[in-house]
């Protein structure tokens, strides 16, 4: 069911509390939300890292969230997105998009996701936004793995790493079924988050960065930030240009590209200031 | 069909009678016969590159198999018709002066008649006239390999040639000079590995919603497929039958210092192979070894209905992409393969002087 319809129904029936377990759901926003506790996890920083001339893996840190946050339990559905298109606030997708309320919308760019977040924020009076990469990792639970494809990095022979990465990507389990599946097909984690790491990869708000090892500081230092490319999360992490809707033409150079691009949103507790 | 078979048999008898005196003196029959086990591309059955042996009769046995295959990572299905079960069919290798003796078997479970036209053979439409077999039949053809080179073979049943070819029925026969390959100066050339890349242009019908249709038999797919074929716009352009057939765990492999012969065939449509980050050291663009090969090519042109061959010695390790350099066909339609090459990096040939980083004034 589309959000707009749900909202209208809720208003007519003057219901007090709605589906969704976030305790503050005392308004008309029926979006099912999961609360992600502020539990530390091992987290590999996103971006490309170089030490000297050599590409290396990003460091793994202990990510300690300052506070809990709420995120959509499921990815945004075809019906959700269609409501935004009907309202004239989102771009129509290619082909003949479906309107199912139990299937994730796919074939969406980062720009499409941003437009939807703006629209949903206005509709609900809450601030919805794409998760940061760290938030996605926290929400995904066991579906997030900080593993690197390979540890191979030979300063005298760049081909060693190219081949090792290629082999790791080739061996990685292929997505057997590319078509989007009903919510819950890929499981629900302890926080109530569904389908993380399934066959729909998700946009994050994180910009692409390049970080170089600074020997004197003993740390990586950011040398480049490119917000025209964002971090995409799922079974493996990748980077996509913001206007790409079909991931097969957008990233993972010679490797296995994501099967589909979709998204879910974080809801901040603070309400949008009414205009 | 019975009438047709009877006619063919009649023609065969007439030919036998006309050459009756020669029959007893069939020289080829007296030659040594050897049987070769065929393997699916990109691999090529073991063979000598040059030979001191006398000409032989090389016997091949090839079933025709109609089957449903998956051609991309979206699960799009396709009613394939295949020689020996693969797209392209297996690469056959003989030497100039040898006789190719092929037994072509049309399996009982197939739905259509088939035959084979060898571009290397002389007469009878390349053998097609003598090999027209219905499901449950077989025929044996012998022809002399009189010209050297890599040559396409394909199915060519009257009135349906194009459909059978774009359904997967093509392959390569390589006829090597008896003393092996030579460069433009007459110096001997040798390869450590040989791969066959067969390029397929596929024309798969879509339904009203733009989704690829799936059919239960070739016959059922015929009318719709013909309509797509007539647009001359393939829905897929792939190597060896499917997007990704030669990538990832199926990528071709080589080592630095090894010389690889890449045979590229396209039975229907022009193409232009290119090895990204490499070259063609010696390229028989038209595929015929009596013509001197061209040196140091970046991209070579394969005319539709022909095969070409490129010889390259790998000098640098890494993952190479071997593509149809119409890059829309490579990236969007599927005509891309990879070659994984292990060995020692050569800084003299290439070195990264400074990695990507912020722009500095100079």
């Amino acid at each position: 069911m589309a959000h707009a319809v749900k909202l209208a129904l809720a208003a007519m029936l003057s219901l007090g509390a709605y589906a969704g377990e976030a305790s503050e759901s005392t308004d008309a926003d029926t979006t099912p939300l999961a609360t992600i506790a502020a539990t530390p996890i091992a987290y590999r920083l996103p971006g490309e890292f170089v030490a000297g001339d050599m590409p290396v893996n990003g460091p793994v840190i202990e990510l300690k969230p300052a506070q809990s946050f709420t995120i959509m339990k499921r990815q945004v559905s075809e019906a959700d997105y269609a409501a935004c298109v009907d309202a004239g606030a989102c771009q129509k997708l290619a082909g003949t998009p479906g309107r199912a309320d139990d299937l994730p919308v796919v074939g969406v760019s980062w720009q499409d996701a941003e437009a939807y977040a703006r629209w949903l924020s206005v509709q609900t009076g809450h601030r919805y936004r794409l998760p940061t990469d760290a938030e996605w990792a926290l929400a995904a639970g066991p579906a997030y793995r900080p593993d690197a494809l390979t540890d191979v990095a030979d300063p005298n022979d760049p081909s060693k790493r190219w081949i090792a990465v290629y082999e790791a990507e080739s061996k990685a389990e292929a997505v057997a079924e590319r078509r989007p599946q009903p919510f819950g097909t890929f499981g629900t984690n302890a926080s109530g988050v569904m389908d993380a790491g399934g066959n729909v990869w998700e946009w994050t708000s994180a910009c692409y960065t390049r970080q170089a090892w600074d020997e004197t500081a003993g740390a990586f230092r950011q040398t480049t930030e490119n917000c025209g490319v964002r971090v995409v999360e799922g079974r493996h992490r990748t980077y996509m240009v913001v206007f790409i809707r079909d991931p097969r033409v957008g990233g993972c150079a010679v490797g296995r590209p994501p099967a589909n691009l979709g998204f879910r949103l974080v809801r901040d507790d603070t309400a949008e200031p009414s205009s | 069909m019975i009438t047709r078979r009877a006619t063919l048999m009649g023609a065969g008898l007439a030919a036998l009678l006309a050459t009756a005196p020669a029959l007893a003196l069939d020289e080829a029959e007296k030659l040594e016969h050897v049987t070769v086990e065929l393997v699916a591309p990109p691999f090529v059955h073991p063979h000598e590159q040059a030979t001191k042996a006398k000409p032989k009769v090389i016997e091949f046995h090839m079933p025709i198999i109609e089957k449903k295959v998956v051609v991309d990572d979206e699960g799009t299905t396709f009613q394939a018709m295949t020689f020996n079960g693969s797209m392209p069919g297996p690469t056959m290798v003989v030497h100039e002066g040898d006789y190719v003796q092929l037994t072509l078997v049309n399996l009982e479970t197939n739905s259509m008649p088939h035959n084979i036209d060898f571009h290397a053979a002389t007469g009878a439409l390349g053998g097609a006239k003598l090999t027209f077999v219905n499901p449950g039949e077989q025929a044996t053809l012998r022809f002399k390999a009189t010209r050297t080179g890599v040559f396409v073979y394909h199915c060519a049943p009257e009135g349906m040639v194009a459909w059978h070819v774009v359904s997967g029925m093509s392959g390569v026969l390589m006829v090597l000079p008896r003393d092996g390959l030579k460069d433009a100066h007459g110096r001997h050339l040798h390869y450590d590995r040989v791969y066959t890349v067969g390029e397929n242009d596929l024309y798969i019908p879509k339904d009203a919603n733009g989704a690829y249709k799936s059919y239960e038999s070739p016959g059922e797919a015929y009318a719709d497929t013909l309509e797509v074929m007539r647009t001359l716009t393939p829905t897929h352009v792939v190597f060896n039958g499917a997007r990704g057939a030669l990538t990832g765990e199926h990528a071709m492999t080589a080592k630095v210092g090894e010389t690889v012969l890449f045979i590229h065939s396209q039975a229907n449509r022009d193409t232009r192979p290119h090895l990204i980050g490499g070259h063609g050291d010696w390229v028989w663009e038209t595929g015929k070894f009596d013509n001197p090969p061209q040196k140091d090519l970046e991209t070579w042109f394969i005319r539709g209905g022909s095969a070409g061959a490129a010889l390259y010695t790998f000098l640098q390790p890494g993952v190479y992409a071997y593509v149809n350099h119409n890059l829309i066909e490579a990236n969007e339609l599927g005509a891309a393969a990879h070659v994984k090459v292990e060995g020692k990096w050569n800084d003299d040939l290439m070195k990264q002087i400074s990695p990507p980083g912020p722009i500095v004034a100079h």
Side-chain angles (χ1 to χ4, degrees):
Chain A
M1 195 187 287
H3 270 286
V5 179
K6 280 184 191 165
L7 290 172
L9 272 175
M12 281 189 298
L13 299 170
S14 304
L15 296 174
Y18 307 99
E21 284 153 26
S23 55
E24 64 273 32
S25 290
T26 50
D27 55 45
D29 185 4
T30 60
T31 307
L33 297 169
T35 300
I36 309 300
T39 313
I41 60 165
Y43 172 67
R44 189 180 294 278
L45 295 174
E48 293 198 317
F49 292 77
V50 283
D53 293 347
M54 189 174 56
V56 294
N57 294 326
V60 175
I61 61 159
E62 190 190 17
L63 178 64
K64 293 178 187 159
Q67 59 199 37
S68 65
F69 63 96
T70 54
I71 190 166
M72 290 178 173
K73 283 188 165 179
R74 54 169 180 74
Q75 292 153 343
V76 171
S77 72
E78 288 182 352
D80 295 338
Y81 190 84
C84 180
V85 174
D86 292 347
C90 287
Q91 293 268 324
K92 190 177 177 299
L93 301 179
T96 317
R99 306 185 70 100
D101 59 7
D102 65 341
L103 288 175
V105 65
V106 297
V108 283
S109 68
W110 179 87
Q111 293 165 334
D112 295 329
E114 283 285 298
Y116 180 82
R118 281 195 297 274
W119 174 76
L120 184 64
S121 299
V122 171
Q123 294 297 300
T124 61
H126 287 280
R127 181 171 180 253
Y128 276 99
R129 58 172 176 82
L130 282 171
T132 64
D133 185 71
E135 284 169 337
W136 190 91
L138 289 161
Y144 172 78
R145 286 184 294 272
D147 317 351
L149 280 169
T150 178
D151 289 321
V152 172
D154 181 339
N156 299 316
D157 191 342
S159 73
K160 295 277 192 294
R161 186 174 174 87
W162 300 334
I163 290 171
V165 168
Y166 185 76
E167 286 179 344
E169 285 177 341
S170 301
K171 284 197 187 81
E173 191 191 343
V175 172
E177 174 59 69
R178 295 180 60 89
R179 275 171 299 193
Q181 300 297 305
F183 293 126
T185 300
F186 298 95
T188 304
N189 69 22
S191 311
V193 171
M194 303 165 109
D195 306 314
N199 72 355
V200 177
W201 270 246
E202 301 179 25
W203 287 104
T204 75
S205 62
C207 295
Y208 166 92
T209 61
R210 191 194 296 283
Q211 325 240 5
W213 179 252
D214 185 333
E215 194 62 54
T216 47
F220 283 100
R221 185 174 47 80
Q222 183 173 307
T223 59
T224 305
E225 181 184 59
N226 178 4
C227 292
V229 174
R230 302 281 169 154
V231 180
V232 168
E233 278 289 1
R235 205 169 290 191
H236 62 266
R237 178 190 274 161
T238 187
Y239 307 87
M240 290 275 163
V241 175
V242 294
F243 53 79
I244 294 293
R245 286 173 162 170
D246 177 355
R248 282 171 305 156
V249 298
C252 289
V254 287
R256 209 183 281 286
N260 296 289
L261 286 174
F263 66 106
R264 79 180 79 217
L265 300 172
V266 162
R267 197 184 90 170
D268 287 335
D269 290 338
T270 48
E272 280 286 281
S274 52
S275 49
Chain B
M1 285 310 157
I2 288 163
T3 316
R4 182 175 177 83
R5 279 175 70 191
T7 310
L8 282 177
M9 284 167 69
L13 271 176
L16 283 178
L17 290 172
T19 58
L23 186 62
L25 302 171
D26 188 333
E27 291 302 318
E29 269 308 306
K30 296 179 193 161
L31 298 176
E32 185 189 350
H33 285 232
V34 293
T35 301
V36 166
E37 290 302 321
L38 293 166
V39 299
F43 303 107
V44 178
H45 65 78
H47 58 272
E48 285 184 299
Q49 289 180 39
T51 183
K52 291 198 164 67
K54 288 205 159 56
K56 295 172 186 170
V57 176
I58 316 289
E59 295 187 17
F60 299 93
H61 185 270
M62 197 144 66
I64 290 162
I65 304 168
E66 297 171 7
K67 62 180 184 182
K68 198 172 186 172
V69 298
V70 174
V71 299
D72 59 24
D73 43 10
E74 287 164 71
T76 304
T77 63
F78 177 64
Q79 283 291 343
M81 309 179 203
T82 70
F83 287 112
N84 216 40
S86 62
M87 289 170 63
T91 297
M92 308 156 76
V93 184
V94 302
H95 288 89
E96 183 180 9
D98 286 344
Y99 294 80
V100 175
Q101 185 164 316
L102 171 74
T103 299
L104 188 66
V105 182
N106 190 344
L107 298 185
E108 188 82 61
T109 46
N110 290 339
S111 62
M112 271 176 307
H114 298 283
N115 61 4
I116 191 164
D117 165 1
F118 282 99
H119 286 188
T122 305
L125 305 181
K129 274 282 185 202
L130 306 177
T131 52
F132 188 87
V133 282
N134 288 282
E137 293 181 327
Q138 68 172 52
T140 302
L141 174 76
R142 191 190 73 204
F143 67 90
K144 191 170 187 175
T146 55
R147 296 160 204 268
T148 62
V150 282
F151 294 86
V152 160
Y153 66 76
H154 63 87
C155 191
E158 279 173 37
M160 290 191 172
V161 187
W163 181 45
H164 282 238
V165 169
V166 300
S167 294
M169 296 193 82
S170 70
V172 170
L173 168 67
M174 176 158 73
V175 182
L176 288 165
R178 295 201 83 77
D179 58 349
L181 297 178
K182 294 195 187 84
D183 69 15
H185 313 291
R187 290 182 294 240
H188 284 282
L189 294 170
H190 175 88
Y191 46 87
D192 300 298
R193 296 167 191 254
V194 51
Y195 292 116
T196 297
V197 177
E199 187 168 326
N200 309 103
D201 44 326
L202 307 178
Y203 304 83
I204 305 183
K206 292 177 181 170
D207 65 20
N209 294 323
Y212 287 114
K213 290 171 85 169
S214 186
Y215 299 89
E216 286 319 304
S217 70
E220 215 179 289
Y222 177 63
D224 290 354
T225 305
L226 200 61
E227 229 175 280
V228 185
M229 284 163 58
R230 294 186 74 161
T231 65
L232 293 174
T233 305
T235 54
H236 298 71
V237 178
V238 298
F239 292 160
N240 292 22
R243 176 188 275 270
L246 298 176
T247 66
E249 299 205 90
H250 309 293
M252 296 176 278
T253 60
K255 293 190 174 70
V256 169
E258 282 186 342
T259 300
V260 179
L261 183 69
F262 291 98
I263 300 170
H264 197 107
S265 73
Q266 224 302 8
N268 192 60
R269 192 168 172 274
D270 299 344
T271 183
R272 53 208 68 68
H274 172 91
L275 180 65
I276 302 179
H279 301 91
D281 290 339
W282 292 106
V283 180
W284 295 269
E285 193 175 57
T286 57
K288 307 305 168 274
F289 300 137
D290 261 359
N291 302 302
Q294 290 174 279
K295 184 136 181 58
D296 295 338
L297 298 197
E298 57 182 311
T299 299
W300 37 105
F301 184 68
I302 305 297
R303 296 140 183 82
S306 77
L311 195 77
Y312 181 61
T313 303
F314 281 94
L315 303 175
Q316 200 77 296
V319 182
Y320 290 72
Y322 176 99
V323 299
N324 167 343
H325 210 292
N326 177 326
L327 297 169
I328 302 164
E329 298 187 357
N331 292 0
E332 297 291 319
L333 302 188
H338 294 145
V339 191
K340 199 172 70 183
V341 181
E342 304 204 45
K344 197 171 175 314
W345 181 262
N346 181 342
D347 271 340
D348 187 46
L349 277 173
M350 185 181 281
K351 186 178 170 64
Q352 186 177 50
I353 299 303
S354 79
I359 297 167
V360 287
H362 68 279

